[in-house]
Amino acid sequence: MGETVFDPRVYVPSGPTVRRFHESTAFTRLMAGPIGSAKTTAAFVAEPFFTAMTQKLNNQGVREAKVGVLRDTYRNLYATLIPTWHQWVPRDFGKFTGSDDRPASHDLEFHAPFTDGTPGMGLCKLRVEMRALGTNTVEAVCRGWELHGAGVDEADLVPIEAFSFLGGRVMRGGRTEFRVSRGVWGTFNKPDTDHPLYTKCVEEAEHHVRDDFEFFDQPGGLLPGGPPFVTNPAAENLQNLDPQYYIRAAAGQPSWYVRRMIRNLWGASISGEPVFPEANLDILFLAEELEPRPGDHLFLGLDGGGTPACTIKGVTPSGRRITYAEVVIYDPSDPRRRKLMHGVGPKRFAEAIRDLLSTRFARQHVSIGYGDPAAFYGADREMGEFSFMETVSQHLNIPIQPAPSNELQLRFDATRSLMLSLNPVDGLPQKLINPSCRMLRKGYGGDYKWEAHDPKQPGKRLKPQKSASSHAVEADGYGDLGSIGRAALTSGNRAYDQFKPKSTMTAPAGVPGGWAQTSGGVWAPTSPQPAQVGGQGSYSSDWSPWG
């Protein structure tokens, strides 16, 4: 029989917050912390041992306890929690029973000090039962459990009612004269502020003492600011992590992930809110139509599906992205052009794009398109079939590539970074849109918003609500992300931006020579700028996110 790795005699909490968590006598305890803070080890390895150690001696002079552990799914239970448990308590120490997609249990015996001050060591018997909700209700999973204590792992993914049902089960284990209930505890990474855990931990803080509840908030892994990021010296468990653990974990990650998973901050409440609340339509949309110059290179942003959309975009010499036109296919039965046609195939979609390109942008060259990555799947390769985007590309004779990512926040950050940064020439945003783009105006004006929060699914990650304007906004976002590139966006280093403004394009003070202001207020060169040779102050790069 193997030996247990976890020894309660030498266990040291990873930080002061974890120590207070262990020492608390509150009936319900919740702890939030960043990744790597050892909260799982504290709550689901140390706590079961402590539960057994705090029991009263039975007639045989043994302290016995049964601890329950609850997870959202058996897949996650066996993929994350049980491997952590076995790092500290090997399978062959005692008797472990369990296999995929079903409950697990571990029976073990160990000697430990007495918690009431009695000198010496005593025998403890501990049984840990691990269950998951799966498709069952909390009530059904908890029914019949007789426990001395229970923990909920990743509590943000489990209905808040779990603590109510478990609270009635942790005072049922063993005989009353020998039982000392350890209560209910849980750990989690902070979700959005519309989650019930935020209500319980923050908004109802004044009732914590009355409810015999205590919330423990670990320090974040990074100091405010960045990139570049700086490790928070107050973060817990640093002594067991690589020196650059949190800095490397945050590198290249979207802002929501860094905020919630590394900084240990509550996410923003986005239920029903606009995705781009910072959009100022008076500045974002031009007063008059702006046309690209003859010979300019344009690119496309495309969203697939049954109601596809396309935006035709360009980049000025100063690095500004301009959306010149949008392509959406309206329902012909709607004369007011508010409803989109559903079930549009790739050939019909390509024809609509080609019609606009051949009439309005015949003197420009469309060099590439960036499409929804999901629209590149679903084709039968063995039979030579093309996906939706590949079919569009073939009919347009324009190469269309998947956007660098289908991750929502990365795409939103691409659009937001252009929307909020100012062009060095005229002080207007680096992203401008022609006023004829009706669907984009509607979407950026607030119609493109997050779906409403479903109280029956508190752990569900919200997505943008589908509407008539959502497809055009998403097509525009794929174009923004594709033109910037993932590396430039996540690193914050504009050297990766293939459209970084050339140093020769900076307008001098006053009325710049070689520049003219359009009727819409945008400064543009009066003639194409000559190409510069390396070493003369210009930027050139052959970097590509695809090569």
Side-chain angles (χ1 to χ4, degrees), residues 195 255 301 329 535:
H195 195 284
S255 58
I329 302 177

Side-chain angles (χ1 to χ4, degrees), residues 437-455:
C437 301
R438 295 175 60 248
M439 280 299 174
L440 288 180
R441 176 179 286 276
K442 182 178 180 181
Y444 286 121
D447 185 63
Y448 188 59
K449 56 189 176 183
W450 298 99
E451 61 187 4
H453 176 70
D454 185 357

Side-chain angles (χ1 to χ4, degrees), residues 34 69 79 90 144-145 229 265 272 278 286 295 311 314 374 380 384 391 414 429 450-451 516 526 540-541:
V69 174
W145 239 352
F229 299 113
L265 298 173
E278 63 273 70
L286 293 161
T311 55
D380 189 340
T391 303
W450 298 99
E451 61 187 4
T526 55
S540 62
S541 172

Side-chain angles (χ1 to χ4, degrees), residues 138-212:
V138 174
E139 181 179 5
V141 172
C142 295
R143 185 171 295 168
W145 239 352
E146 295 184 348
L147 307 169
H148 295 80
V152 181
D153 185 30
E154 303 292 354
D156 56 312
L157 304 179
V158 176
I160 195 73
E161 294 79 14
F163 292 94
S164 300
F165 284 104
L166 288 173
R169 293 293 166 185
V170 295
M171 297 178 288
R172 302 284 298 275
R175 294 170 56 176
T176 304
E177 60 267 32
F178 306 133
R179 181 196 314 128
V180 178
S181 177
R182 188 76 175 166
V184 185
W185 60 88
T187 62
F188 60 95
N189 299 112
K190 289 180 178 176
D192 298 335
T193 54
D194 52 13
H195 195 284
L197 284 175
Y198 179 80
T199 303
K200 182 64 178 176
C201 296
V202 179
E203 295 180 342
E204 298 180 358
E206 60 183 292
H207 303 308
H208 286 179
V209 175
R210 181 200 68 184
D211 297 339
D212 201 9

